[in-house]
Amino acid sequence: MFIKQIIIQGFKSYKEQTVIEPFSPKHNVIVGRNGTGKSNFFAAIRFVLSDAYTQMGREERQALLHEGSGSAVMSAYVEIIFDNSDERFPTGKDELILRRTIGLKKDEYSLDRKNATKADVMNLLESAGFSRSNPYYIVPQGRVTTLTNMKDGERLNLLKEVAGTQVYEGRRTESLKIMTETTNKRAKIDELLDYIKERLSELEEEKEELRNYQEKDKERRCLEYTIYHREQDEISNALASIDDSRQTGVDETDDGRERFIQGEKEMAEIDKEIGEVKQQIELLRVDQRQLENSRRDNARHRAKVELEVKGLSDGHSAAQQARRRYQTELNEVQSAIHQREGELEGLLPGYSDLKEQEGAVKTQLDAAEALRKRLYAKQGRNAQFRSRKERDQWLEKEVAAVYDALAARKAIRMQTTEEITELEKELETVQARVADLREKLDGRGDNMQSISQEIQSAKDERDQLMDQRKELWREEAKLDSAISNAQQELDRADRTLSHTMDQNTSRGLAAVRRIKRQHNLEGVYGTLAELLQVNDKYRTAVEVTAGNSLFHYVVDNDETATKVLEILQREKSGRVTFMPLNRVKARPANLPKAGDAIPMIEKLQYDQRFVNAVQHVFGKTIVCPNLAIAAQYARSHGVNAITPEGDRSDKKGALTGGFYDPRQSRLEAVRNVSKWRDEYETLSSRGSLIKHSLEQKDQEITRSVGKLQKLEQKRQQFENSYGPLRQEYRSTATSLQKLKESIDARKQAKENVEASIKTLGDQQNSYEAEQSSEFKKVLTADEEQQLEDLSSSVQQLRKQYSELSTKRSELEGRKSILEVELRENLHQRLEQLNAQETEVSDGNSKSSLEEAQRELSKIEEAIEAVHDELQEIEESTESAHTALGQLEQTRGEKQRQQEEIAKSIERHQRRIEKSMEKKSLLTKRATECSRNIRDLGVLPEEAFGRFEKTNSNAIVKRLHKVNDSLKKYSHVNKKAFEQYNNFTKQRDTLTKRREELDSSQSSIEELIEVLDQRKDEAIERTFKQVSREFADTFEKLVPAGKGRLIIQRKTDRAQDEEEDSEEEIKESVENYIGVGISVSFNSKHDEQQRIQQLSGGQKSLCALALVFAIQQCDPAPFYLFDEIDANLDAQYRTAVANMLKVISENSENGQFICTTFRPEMLMVADKCYGVAYSNKTSSIDVVRREEALEFVEGQKQ
């Protein structure tokens, strides 16, 4: 086993965590300047392993903590990791980690990262070979000098310490102390025995007189016992009777209390039902008032509509008569028009044929007359002109004139054609307009019907919306009543809840809820009572366990709690305790796992977000069936236990219990508040929705009314537009007739122009033909014949034309008459009748009547529905009143029963109190009897049956006689027998105790002798071993010299000091007075010198040899040397270094950790370390041997 690694933090000059590279299991050397922390490193190891740092005060602990610049160090620790591959530590592991942590208020050990006590650590170190009797495995600075300057007596004490004689000395001192105390006790026992013997001789004389007194006194005590015993029996019987009656009364009281509580619950249920029935009656009254209002409104509306229907019915009858007259006249006019139009249609074909024939004959007549006229003119011109030339000139002029006339006629024809085209276009437009107007006029009835239907639909929609609004009003009125009731119940529940807490808490909780709403704080969850649910069976237990914690407010974190608290403080709105979930940490509890111990938290229902808060309050509480089991678990497991009735036993042993009134339940009050708050918020939310629906319904009704008004305006506009439409139709029809006449005139003119054009053309052709013919004075034979034929043809044509014209004129006259009659009379009359159709038509009045009748029917149905509903409400109200009366009667009966139960409980209570008073008196008498019996002392056996059958009066008389006899023994020593017996027992006890003390004295003397012998043997054995090892070690360090240890005795103080110290002497160890050192450095045979005669370096070498000798006698797992070679010469330093090398290489327990300023020890080291110091902080790192040697050489310079 060896030190593998050391970790230091905060200890003295080692502020930061210093992890030292693993040490070599052999020889390790540490170098560094003075003040860098080498000694602090050794102090850290001693801090963990030795007793040098025990029983420290605050200042001493503060001195061990680092005090450099920067932040203050509040704790420090040193951790040593041992290599345990040889299993020297009985842990079963290859490594052992030992740490000691110290602070201003703590000092802790840990083994393998687990807490351990100091005693455990020291015992473990002892088992691994760290001997307290040999502290020389750690040699700090100055220890070698101390050994050097030791006197012989101090060196002997060191030898005794190594030998372990302290144990023997302690036991010997304790034994001597016991022996002294035993001697003192023997002397006191002898004195007491002498006094007892003298007193016993005196008591022998008083015994006879006392015997006579005892006989009388025994009889007295027997008599008194009999009297007291009989009285005691009577009292016991009376107490038993009282207990029976009391138990019966308690049972009856408990039953009565349970019945009273059950009755209170039933009354609460009845009150709840009464409240519900009253609310139902109130709602029915609201409905009834609304329905009464609706019935009155409907009645007024019905009267109005009935009057309207009556008026419309009368108007409809008159309209029907006018309609019949109108229809008769219309039929007559239409029949006349039909007759005239038929006649006109029969005339038109003949008229057209005649007109065509007339036109054709007229054309032929005009052509014949024109030709005849031209022939006559030609005949006249032949006589007029003398020569052809003159004739031709005149013809040319005539041809030119005809040409001009023909051009003018063609221009007129073209203009007339254009005018006819334009007029025909205009005619088409006017005809379309007339057709459109006619269609509008003809479709007016359908349009009116369509608009009426739209108006009726709009009215139905409006009425339906208004009915829906009325239903919403009714529902709103009901909700207002329900909200008012919920508000009252919520206020009542709030008052009940506020009575279960102080005023500041009540105000604070209300303020927190208000702050949560105003600031919209999502992290404010609610009180603990609001966040959990519990069965009624465990409600009392939960309330008693939580107490005022039920009203602690649970929030998400301390930031939210701080914000709310600042607002509460600013507004001065009461006080509240908050439970931030990020701060509340529940520690695991040792809860029993048994059927009669139920963890309370298992009976709670809550959101897992709040588990820390619930665990904090209820996590260490269990529910037990009774208080005895609860107290047992509370003591055995250190938990709080409670019964379902609320009796509680805490882990400190205190018991709390008694009657708990369930009517004052906080959880029930919180539940009622939550219930009514939810009800109120639900109803308020529903009320808001209904108000919003009413607003929407008002808007819909407004839109519907607007739509209805628009439709009525449209119908009014349509009705008002009929006159202008008829006027427009008449004017348009007149324009159409005029256009037709104009077109006919234009066409006639066009025909005339075309005939004129044809005549002019024929005349032009004639002139041109005549111009090309020869000039003759007379006509040709053909022309003469033609002229003759034309004359007869003209006459025939004129006759034919005249006949055709007469016939045509007759037909045209009749046609004109018919057309005028149709146009000017019949059609206008038809139009007038059509115009009167709206006035005489009963369509509007009929539709209005039907609409009014439908409205009346609807109102009748509404009135009937309201009547039915009112009847239902009256029946419901009557049944509700009946139920209310029954409930109130039941409540009254229950109230009387409760009063009777309360009176019964009170009577039982008074009887119990009287019984308790009587029991108290009897108990006092029984106590007095028992005390009197006890005062009688130990009674003889005959006392229990001697006077059992004797009359009480005889016993009293006999007792008086005995008391009189006892008066003459008033001077007797009543305790003579007792005193004699006591002194006899004391004498026997003291005699036995003296014999035990004598035996103990002998045993202690033998023990002291054995301890002295063992101590002498241990000292002599240790001296021999240390002396032998010292001689061997000195010879290794100084090969040319010799050294030995000399033990000094009182008997040989004057003898020569060179006497052999190894000679066995059988004298007591008290004869030893010191241990000297005798050495020779130059020869093994020269005269040796005592240590006082040596130089400083030689003394140090002798001290080191003694240290090595002690270590060889009691080897340790490792050794720590702090500058042990400081005072040695170079050759001795080399010898010491070589010796350390040999020990570390040849021994299994040979690890050395040394500090030095000399190069010799560095030359044999397996591993070198350097200590550095910077910013008041030390550090240790591995260095090469060359670097260490350079540092040592630098220190020499």
Side-chain angles (χ1 to χ4, degrees):
M1 183 189 72
F2 60 90
I3 295 178
K4 187 175 182 180
Q5 194 172 21
I6 297 176
I7 302 173
I8 308 173
Q9 180 173 338
F11 186 84
K12 290 193 174 183
S13 60
Y14 294 89
K15 178 180 180 182
E16 305 297 334
Q17 186 184 55
T18 303
V19 181
I20 303 172
E21 187 172 326
F23 290 100
S24 168
K26 296 181 180 180
H27 192 195
N28 303 270
V29 177
I30 300 173
V31 298
R33 293 183 176 83
N34 285 327
T36 56
K38 298 191 302 300
S39 297
N40 290 341
F41 169 73
F42 278 92
I45 301 176
R46 294 176 65 201
F47 169 70
V48 178
L49 300 179
S50 71
D51 292 337
Y53 297 95
T54 57
Q55 304 297 329
M56 293 183 292
R58 182 183 179 89
E59 292 77 8
E60 294 171 322
R61 294 183 183 185
Q62 181 67 48
L64 295 180
L65 301 179
H66 180 78
E67 296 182 351
S69 59
S71 59
V73 176
M74 303 306 296
S75 65
Y77 71 85
V78 178
E79 182 175 287
I80 301 178
I81 303 175
F82 293 97
D83 182 279
N84 193 34
S85 56
D86 57 355
E87 296 186 357
R88 191 159 181 170
F89 287 114
T91 61
K93 298 180 180 179
D94 293 337
E95 279 188 356
L96 175 72
I97 302 174
L98 175 59
R99 175 187 282 197
R100 184 178 181 184
T101 305
I102 194 169
L104 295 179
K105 295 183 179 180
K106 67 177 180 179
D107 189 358
E108 301 171 346
Y109 286 88
S110 67
L111 289 171
D112 289 331
R113 312 295 185 193
K114 298 179 180 178
N115 291 337
T117 62
K118 182 179 179 182
D120 295 338
V121 173
M122 293 305 167
N123 292 335
L124 184 66
L125 293 175
E126 287 276 355
S127 66
F130 295 90
S131 176
R132 295 187 184 182
S133 62
N134 180 14
Y136 285 96
Y137 64 90
I138 299 177
V139 181
Q141 289 185 18
R143 180 65 64 85
V144 175
T145 304
T146 301
L147 285 172
T148 301
N149 297 329
M150 270 187 181
K151 297 180 180 180
D152 294 344
E154 295 173 346
R155 207 172 286 116
L156 176 63
N157 292 333
L158 172 63
L159 191 63
K160 289 180 179 180
E161 184 179 352
V162 174
T165 60
Q166 292 178 351
V167 177
Y168 300 115
E169 289 290 345
R171 295 183 64 184
R172 188 175 188 278
T173 302
E174 184 179 355
S175 300
L176 289 173
K177 182 178 179 181
I178 294 172
M179 192 167 64
T180 303
E181 293 176 354
T182 302
T183 303
N184 295 334
K185 290 178 181 179
R186 288 169 62 192
K188 289 182 181 180
I189 289 173
D190 291 339
E191 292 179 2
L192 289 174
L193 287 174
D194 294 339
Y195 171 75
I196 289 172
K197 288 178 181 179
E198 182 180 354
R199 184 65 181 138
L200 286 175
S201 63
E202 296 175 355
L203 291 174
E204 283 289 343
E205 300 175 358
E206 298 176 359
K207 284 171 60 179
E208 185 63 27
E209 186 179 8
L210 180 60
R211 190 174 290 110
N212 295 329
Y213 169 79
Q214 286 180 344
E215 288 295 331
K216 295 292 182 180
D217 185 66
K218 181 170 71 173
E219 185 178 1
R220 177 190 65 80
R221 289 189 291 123
C222 291
L223 291 169
E224 288 183 354
Y225 170 77
T226 302
I227 293 172
Y228 292 146
H229 181 66
R230 290 180 179 179
E231 184 179 1
Q232 199 173 39
D233 289 340
E234 293 175 358
I235 292 172
S236 298
N237 294 331
L239 285 174
S241 176
I242 290 173
D243 286 337
D244 292 339
S245 61
R246 177 181 173 276
Q247 185 61 39
T248 303
V250 169
D251 294 340
E252 292 178 356
T253 302
D254 291 340
D255 293 340
R257 185 176 291 110
E258 290 178 0
R259 284 188 289 113
F260 184 81
I261 293 173
Q262 184 64 29
E264 288 291 328
K265 291 182 179 178
E266 292 176 0
M267 285 189 64
E269 290 295 328
I270 292 173
D271 289 337
K272 181 180 178 182
E273 292 178 5
I274 289 174
E276 292 175 354
V277 171
K278 286 183 177 179
Q279 184 179 1
Q280 181 182 359
I281 291 173
E282 182 62 28
L283 293 176
L284 290 173
R285 286 175 180 171
V286 171
D287 288 345
Q288 188 176 16
R289 286 195 297 270
Q290 292 179 347
L291 290 173
E292 290 288 349
N293 294 332
S294 297
R295 185 169 65 178
R296 285 194 295 271
D297 294 341
N298 289 333
R300 287 194 295 268
H301 193 194
R302 181 176 63 180
K304 180 180 178 182
V305 173
E306 285 176 348
L307 291 175
E308 184 178 352
V309 168
K310 187 175 182 304
L312 288 173
S313 298
D314 296 340
H316 182 62
S317 298
Q320 284 182 339
Q321 294 177 1
R323 178 68 178 173
R324 284 194 293 270
R325 291 193 299 270
Y326 162 78
Q327 192 65 35
T328 301
E329 187 176 359
L330 180 63
N331 291 335
E332 293 175 354
V333 172
Q334 287 179 346
S335 177
I337 290 174
H338 182 68
Q339 181 183 358
R340 303 298 189 274
E341 287 179 349
E343 185 180 357
L344 184 61
E345 288 178 359
L347 290 176
L348 286 177
Y351 172 77
S352 299
D353 292 341
L354 289 175
K355 191 175 181 179
E356 290 178 0
Q357 292 176 10
E358 182 185 11
V361 172
K362 181 72 166 62
T363 301
Q364 292 175 6
L365 178 60
D366 291 339
E369 286 181 346
L371 180 58
R372 190 178 68 169
K373 186 179 181 180
R374 286 194 298 273
L375 290 175
Y376 281 135
K378 181 179 178 183
Q379 185 179 9
R381 283 191 299 272
N382 288 334
Q384 181 182 356
F385 298 109
R386 290 185 297 273
S387 63
R388 183 178 182 179
K389 180 177 180 181
E390 186 179 353
R391 185 199 65 177
D392 290 341
Q393 288 178 353
W394 182 84
L395 287 173
E396 288 178 1
K397 290 179 182 180
E398 289 297 324
V399 168
V402 170
Y403 182 81
D404 292 336
L406 186 60
R409 296 294 186 278
K410 288 182 178 180
I412 292 170
R413 185 184 64 180
M414 185 179 296
Q415 182 179 358
T416 303
T417 302
E418 291 177 356
E419 288 177 356
I420 290 171
T421 303
E422 290 178 0
L423 288 173
E424 286 177 348
K425 290 181 180 179
E426 187 176 356
L427 178 65
E428 291 177 358
T429 303
V430 173
Q431 284 177 340
R433 178 61 180 162
V434 169
D436 183 49
L437 292 173
R438 183 74 259 174
E439 183 180 358
K440 288 182 178 179
L441 289 173
D442 293 339
R444 177 177 176 277
D446 296 335
N447 292 333
M448 286 292 292
Q449 185 67 24
S450 176
I451 292 173
S452 298
Q453 290 177 355
E454 290 181 4
I455 289 174
Q456 185 61 38
S457 298
K459 285 183 178 181
D460 293 340
E461 182 182 359
R462 179 200 62 187
D463 294 341
Q464 183 180 3
L465 290 174
M466 293 181 73
D467 291 339
Q468 292 175 358
R469 183 171 65 178
K470 287 180 181 179
E471 289 296 327
L472 289 174
W473 282 343
R474 292 176 61 185
E475 189 172 356
E476 184 183 26
K478 291 180 182 179
L479 270 178
D480 289 340
S481 177
I483 289 171
S484 176
N485 180 65
Q487 181 66 51
Q488 293 175 2
E489 293 294 337
L490 178 59
D491 294 340
R492 186 180 299 111
D494 277 331
R495 287 194 299 271
T496 302
L497 179 60
S498 64
H499 291 160
T500 63
M501 67 183 83
D502 59 274
Q503 185 178 3
N504 280 335
T505 303
S506 177
R507 291 174 54 240
L509 292 178
V512 171
R513 295 190 187 98
R514 174 176 50 79
I515 292 168
K516 177 184 177 181
R517 291 193 303 269
Q518 291 177 352
H519 297 270
N520 194 21
L521 299 176
E522 297 293 337
V524 180
Y525 300 120
T527 62
L528 189 62
E530 296 171 349
L531 300 178
L532 57 86
Q533 297 291 330
V534 62
N535 190 287
D536 291 342
K537 179 179 179 182
Y538 301 100
R539 187 174 64 196
T540 300
V542 170
E543 290 184 14
V544 173
T545 299
N548 290 331
S549 297
L550 286 174
F551 303 117
H552 290 180
Y553 226 97
V554 180
V555 296
D556 54 354
N557 52 50
D558 48 359
E559 183 178 349
T560 302
T562 303
K563 182 176 180 180
V564 178
L565 282 173
E566 289 176 353
I567 299 174
L568 286 175
Q569 182 69 23
R570 186 167 60 249
E571 296 180 355
K572 298 180 180 180
S573 302
R575 296 181 64 81
V576 178
T577 301
F578 289 94
M579 299 179 72
L581 294 177
N582 66 327
R583 294 292 186 184
V584 176
K585 304 296 182 184
R587 297 180 180 178
N590 181 24
L591 299 181
K593 297 180 179 179
D596 54 357
I598 303 172
M600 179 172 286
I601 198 167
E602 293 181 1
K603 298 301 179 182
L604 303 177
Q605 293 86 38
Y606 53 89
D607 195 323
Q608 286 300 315
R609 292 181 298 168
F610 316 125
V611 63
N612 286 345
V614 178
Q615 282 278 4
H616 179 73
V617 177
F618 302 102
K620 296 182 180 180
T621 303
I622 59 175
V623 181
C624 300
N626 55 60
L627 192 58
I629 297 175
Q632 180 181 356
Y633 281 120
R635 289 192 302 270
S636 61
H637 289 76
V639 296
N640 295 326
I642 194 168
T643 65
E645 293 78 19
D647 298 332
R648 180 180 179 184
S649 175
D650 62 18
K651 56 187 177 182
K652 296 182 180 179
L655 299 178
T656 306
F659 175 70
Y660 187 87
D661 190 354
R663 294 175 296 175
Q664 304 297 326
S665 172
R666 293 181 172 184
L667 285 176
E668 185 65 23
V670 171
R671 188 182 300 173
N672 285 335
V673 169
S674 299
K675 169 189 170 184
W676 287 111
R677 183 179 292 117
D678 294 341
E679 181 73 14
Y680 176 76
E681 290 176 354
T682 302
L683 292 174
S684 299
S685 177
R686 176 63 181 159
S688 300
L689 290 176
I690 289 178
K691 288 182 179 177
H692 182 65
S693 299
L694 277 172
E695 292 176 357
Q696 289 184 339
K697 202 61 65 180
D698 289 338
Q699 294 175 0
E700 291 176 4
I701 291 173
T702 302
R703 288 195 295 269
S704 178
V705 171
K707 178 180 177 183
L708 180 60
Q709 290 175 351
K710 289 180 180 178
L711 288 173
E712 289 178 347
Q713 290 175 0
K714 181 178 180 182
R715 182 174 65 179
Q716 187 66 31
Q717 291 174 358
F718 193 77
E719 291 176 352
N720 295 335
S721 66
Y722 181 71
L725 188 66
R726 294 294 304 172
Q727 183 65 32
E728 184 181 0
Y729 175 75
R730 284 195 295 268
S731 63
T732 308
T734 303
S735 299
L736 178 63
Q737 185 64 30
K738 290 180 179 179
L739 281 174
K740 287 181 178 180
E741 293 176 354
S742 178
I743 290 173
D744 291 341
R746 295 290 191 279
K747 287 182 178 180
Q748 186 65 38
K750 181 180 178 182
E751 290 177 358
N752 294 334
V753 170
E754 288 179 349
S756 176
I757 290 172
K758 185 179 180 183
T759 300
L760 289 173
D762 292 341
Q763 188 174 2
Q764 182 181 5
N765 293 330
S766 175
Y767 286 157
E768 289 177 351
E770 184 179 357
Q771 191 177 11
S772 60
S773 66
E774 293 179 359
F775 182 75
K776 293 179 178 182
K777 293 292 186 180
V778 293
L779 295 175
T780 63
D782 293 334
E783 288 175 345
E784 288 290 343
Q785 184 64 35
Q786 186 177 9
L787 184 60
E788 186 178 353
D789 292 338
L790 285 173
S791 295
S792 61
S793 176
V794 166
Q795 289 178 0
Q796 291 178 358
L797 288 173
R798 281 180 179 175
K799 182 179 179 181
Q800 186 179 0
Y801 176 74
S802 176
E803 292 175 356
L804 291 173
S805 178
T806 300
K807 292 179 180 180
R808 191 262 312 163
S809 296
E810 292 176 357
L811 291 176
E812 186 173 6
R814 184 60 182 168
K815 171 178 172 289
S816 298
I817 292 170
L818 291 174
E819 288 179 348
V820 169
E821 186 178 3
L822 285 171
R823 183 173 62 250
E824 301 296 335
N825 186 10
L826 294 176
H827 281 164
Q828 288 185 2
R829 183 56 183 163
L830 179 61
E831 290 176 2
Q832 290 176 358
L833 290 174
N834 288 332
Q836 293 174 2
E837 182 181 7
T838 304
E839 298 175 1
V840 300
S841 176
D842 62 344
N844 292 337
S845 62
K846 185 177 181 181
S847 62
S848 299
L849 178 61
E850 291 175 353
E851 183 178 349
Q853 288 175 346
R854 281 197 302 272
E855 183 71 18
L856 182 61
S857 177
K858 190 184 297 182
I859 292 172
E860 292 288 349
E861 293 176 356
I863 291 174
E864 185 65 24
V866 169
H867 180 268
D868 294 340
E869 290 184 10
L870 280 173
Q871 189 171 0
E872 291 178 0
I873 288 174
E874 288 175 358
E875 293 175 357
S876 300
T877 304
E878 184 177 356
S879 62
H881 279 294
T882 303
L884 180 61
Q886 293 176 353
L887 287 172
E888 289 179 347
Q889 182 180 358
T890 304
R891 189 183 186 282
E893 293 175 358
K894 183 61 68 176
Q895 182 68 32
R896 287 192 295 274
Q897 292 177 4
Q898 290 294 96
E899 292 175 357
E900 291 175 0
I901 293 172
K903 291 178 181 178
S904 176
I905 293 173
E906 187 176 357
R907 286 195 301 270
H908 284 301
Q909 195 68 31
R910 285 199 298 268
R911 283 201 299 269
I912 290 173
E913 290 175 357
K914 290 180 180 179
S915 298
M916 292 303 296
E917 293 176 358
K918 186 175 180 181
K919 181 180 179 181
S920 177
L921 295 175
L922 291 174
T923 304
K924 188 181 294 184
R925 287 178 57 192
T927 304
E928 291 178 358
C929 289
S930 299
R931 186 172 64 250
N932 292 332
I933 292 174
R934 286 196 304 271
D935 292 343
L936 293 176
V938 180
L939 296 172
E941 186 68 26
E942 61 183 12
F944 301 106
R946 181 178 176 181
F947 302 104
E948 184 177 358
K949 298 181 180 179
T950 306
N951 192 346
S952 299
N953 293 330
I955 291 175
V956 173
K957 291 179 181 180
R958 189 167 181 175
L959 178 61
H960 286 311
K961 291 180 181 180
V962 172
N963 287 331
D964 291 339
S965 300
L966 286 173
K967 289 180 181 178
K968 64 181 180 179
Y969 295 103
S970 60
H971 64 282
V972 72
N973 182 8
K974 298 178 181 180
K975 297 184 179 180
F977 283 110
E978 183 180 355
Q979 290 175 354
Y980 186 84
N981 293 331
N982 289 337
F983 280 121
T984 302
K985 291 179 181 178
Q986 289 182 13
R987 182 188 63 188
D988 296 340
T989 302
L990 290 173
T991 303
K992 184 178 180 181
R993 178 60 179 159
R994 193 180 190 289
E995 292 174 356
E996 292 176 354
L997 290 174
D998 291 340
S999 175
S1000 176
Q1001 179 83 5
S1002 301
S1003 299
I1004 291 173
E1005 289 175 353
E1006 292 176 0
L1007 177 62
I1008 291 174
E1009 184 178 353
V1010 171
L1011 290 174
D1012 288 341
Q1013 182 180 355
R1014 290 182 179 177
K1015 182 175 69 173
D1016 294 344
E1017 292 174 355
I1019 292 175
E1020 289 180 4
R1021 182 172 59 253
T1022 303
F1023 175 74
K1024 290 177 182 179
Q1025 189 176 1
V1026 173
S1027 178
R1028 183 173 59 252
E1029 295 296 337
F1030 177 80
D1032 294 343
T1033 302
F1034 190 83
E1035 186 175 355
K1036 292 177 182 178
L1037 294 175
V1038 186
K1042 182 180 180 181
R1044 61 176 180 168
L1045 296 179
I1046 301 173
I1047 191 166
Q1048 299 175 352
R1049 305 177 180 87
K1050 294 179 181 178
T1051 56
D1052 59 358
R1053 182 182 295 272
Q1055 296 179 5
D1056 188 14
E1057 294 180 355
E1058 294 181 0
E1059 183 180 351
D1060 188 2
S1061 63
E1062 294 183 3
E1063 183 180 354
E1064 296 183 0
I1065 301 175
K1066 300 299 183 180
E1067 297 181 0
S1068 173
V1069 72
E1070 297 301 328
N1071 192 37
Y1072 299 153
I1073 60 173
V1075 174
I1077 298 177
S1078 178
V1079 296
S1080 173
F1081 281 86
N1082 299 320
S1083 172
K1084 296 182 182 291
H1085 306 287
D1086 291 348
E1087 182 180 357
Q1088 294 183 344
Q1089 296 176 316
R1090 301 298 293 269
I1091 192 170
Q1092 291 83 359
Q1093 300 171 341
L1094 302 177
S1095 64
Q1098 291 173 338
K1099 288 180 180 181
S1100 298
L1101 185 63
C1102 291
L1104 283 176
L1106 181 58
V1107 169
F1108 288 138
I1110 292 172
Q1111 291 173 349
Q1112 290 298 319
C1113 292
D1114 189 8
F1118 60 87
Y1119 303 98
L1120 305 178
F1121 292 160
D1122 190 4
E1123 297 183 16
I1124 60 173
D1125 57 353
N1127 299 324
L1128 298 180
D1129 297 335
Q1131 59 177 344
Y1132 299 136
R1133 291 198 299 271
T1134 303
V1136 169
N1138 291 330
M1139 187 172 186
L1140 292 179
K1141 180 178 180 182
V1142 171
I1143 293 173
S1144 64
E1145 290 179 351
N1146 297 334
S1147 176
E1148 293 181 357
N1149 297 322
Q1151 185 187 34
F1152 289 91
I1153 301 176
C1154 310
T1155 63
T1156 184
F1157 283 101
R1158 308 296 182 182
E1160 288 79 9
M1161 200 171 289
L1162 291 171
M1163 298 300 296
V1164 298
D1166 292 304
K1167 208 166 187 179
C1168 299
Y1169 296 83
V1171 181
Y1173 187 74
S1174 176
N1175 295 327
K1176 297 184 179 181
T1177 302
S1178 300
S1179 61
I1180 301 179
D1181 293 314
V1182 176
V1183 297
R1184 292 182 293 105
R1185 180 177 298 169
E1186 292 77 7
E1187 294 176 351
L1189 289 172
E1190 290 178 3
F1191 169 77
V1192 170
E1193 293 298 329
Q1195 288 293 312
K1196 288 182 180 181
Q1197 296 177 1

